[in-house]
Amino acid sequence: MNPRNMNFIKTPAGHAGREAYSLIEVLVAGAILAIGIAAAALLANSMLVQQEANAQVSSALNLQEQAGKLFRMGLSTGEITNVLQTGGLSFSTNPAPLAGVESVNCVLVFAVGSDSRTNTNVFVRETNR
Amino acid sequence: MKAPPSRFRSREGALMVLALLVVLAGAVVLAGWAQLLATRAVFAESASSGQNRRIALENSRSIARGYLLANMISNAIPATNIITSWGNITISPSTALWTSSGAVGTNDSAYKNPFSPMERWGYYSVVSAILPDGSEAHAWTFLIRTRSPIAAGYPLVLHKGCSRAGLGGLTYSNQPHIDYIDYTGGRSETNVSGFSGIPQIPMTSVTNSYSPTNAYLGYFGAPVSGAPAGGPIFGVTTNSANGTITLDLATLDDGSTNSLVRYEVPAAAGNATIATLVIQGTATATDKAVHIVATNNTALTRVVLGGANQRRLYFNRSGPATMVLSTSDYSSPWPIGITLSGTELSVTPPLTISGGIRTDSPLGGTVTLTPNSDPGALDAIGDRIMWIEDFRTP
């Protein structure tokens, strides 16, 4: 074996007396690079999808939290639905935890991508407002 | 056989170092980008947890406020863990909520309301609580405040008419944004304040006087919880022929300083139905006060003011009626506070008072309201609004 083939650093082609990269080496390097690029693209795509889903979830949770604040301000459940202009909210009355307060169950159905998710929260407010 | 040294060797090394640096920088950027995306991926989950905790804390706060609203009028807050299924919301037990020396008649600059246009700040009581949010417990402080809006600098207060519901023997009025207590409820004679637990009129002693039986004499000061003592009031004459009661403000008490007379207008005297109340006299003692109450049990339709009174006077009338406020030899604006609940008032002839009016009913005629020289004059004897403020204990 030519000891020069054992050199880790190969000199670029064009220099007289130097070896060039072989076809196999270039193909392997190209394949590795293609795999890396493809993986990065897939990762980016999935992350963007996930990011969009997160934005939808955050928006929905924020909407439900605002519904809770409106409930504590004294609005009726119908008024809350009208104010927030969303069809995914529904309310049901809970038994009062104790005298002087009232409670409702708030269910929010919202879309995440092609799926549908449900988030449920309990809101409490003073009866004498 | 050793290869001869290349004359490009130093350039090749530099190029390689540069390439490695580029690769390193690219790897760092890629790793950061991936980390950012991963962080965004878990953000929604973290936000959901935070949202649930905020909602749980607000629920706990609402439960505690609702509990206090339903119980703060009573003498004591007996709760420890008021509701265990919500994570052990704890309200510190409080005995004699309104009758502790720290809650009644004590000015405490630590809780002074800086937005009040007047120099006094009414009464308050502090209740400590522990509110859970589903994950942690937060120390919370509730301030139950009460003061007369007239004394707070609002000489004319028009309340929206409302339905009333009894609560703890008192009449508790629910407004959209205001909760106030008026005089139409029951009264505990064992409590010097006139009401059970409300810092209405701090007095050192009081008695249900012997004559007349619907009058009480006491003295300003710290409230007492023991047996009342005192003497009868004077200067009350009844004309059964025309159903008129006359109160002489100059001779109403026993001559002591800082006296406070509470007089309840009777429905009848003998066979006569009381329809007219004359309040007259030249009383210059500004340290004294008179509190007159007419409930819906009476047929009182006319109140006449006469004289040059400077004694503080608060008049309460409740019940569906139309009442005329008139004068006879009236001079100098009297220091008067008036609260009307369900009673229409017509002031004729035109009248000037140094105080204010609270009403939830029509008000007619001409009345000129002027500020009292002592903004706190009516603070202790006026009926008052009550509200709750709360904050996270620092």
Side-chain angles (χ1 to χ4, degrees), chain A:
Chain A
M1 173 181 283
N2 190 340
R4 295 185 64 184
N5 292 341
M6 301 302 291
N7 286 348
F8 179 74
I9 302 173
K10 295 187 177 182
T11 55
H15 291 279
R18 302 284 185 259
E19 288 185 358
Y21 292 111
S22 69
L23 178 61
I24 295 300
E25 289 172 325
V26 172
L27 288 176
V28 168
I32 292 173
L33 186 61
I35 291 172
I37 292 174
L42 285 173
L43 179 65
N45 182 54
S46 62
M47 287 297 181
L48 288 174
V49 170
Q50 182 67 37
Q51 186 177 346
E52 177 64 21
N54 289 340
Q56 290 174 321
V57 171
S58 298
S59 176
L61 294 180
N62 183 54
L63 185 76
Q64 197 171 33
E65 191 171 3
Q66 299 309 314
K69 290 180 178 177
L70 292 175
F71 180 72
R72 291 191 187 88
M73 287 173 63
L75 272 66
S76 68
T77 55
E79 290 171 333
I80 294 172
T81 304
N82 289 337
V83 167
L84 295 179
Q85 289 291 306
T86 178
L89 276 175
S90 62
F91 298 89
S92 59
T93 304
N94 286 332
L98 76 165
V101 298
E102 57 184 321
S103 172
V104 296
N105 221 31
C106 176
V107 179
L108 176 64
V109 180
F110 58 100
V112 179
S114 58
D115 298 332
S116 177
R117 289 193 191 175
T118 301
N119 197 56
T120 304
N121 258 308
V122 175
F123 301 145
V124 179
R125 70 180 174 191
E126 306 98 277
T127 306
N128 298 317
R129 299 190 65 82

Side-chain angles (χ1 to χ4, degrees), chain B residues 54 84 156 174 227 232 333 337 345:
Chain B
R54 284 195 299 274
T84 55
L156 179 61
N174 303 322
L345 179 67

Side-chain angles (χ1 to χ4, degrees), chain B residues 248-263:
Chain B
D248 184 356
L249 296 177
T251 60
L252 203 56
D253 56 37
D254 60 356
S256 303
T257 60
N258 297 317
S259 69
L260 168 63
V261 169
R262 175 186 172 97
Y263 182 75

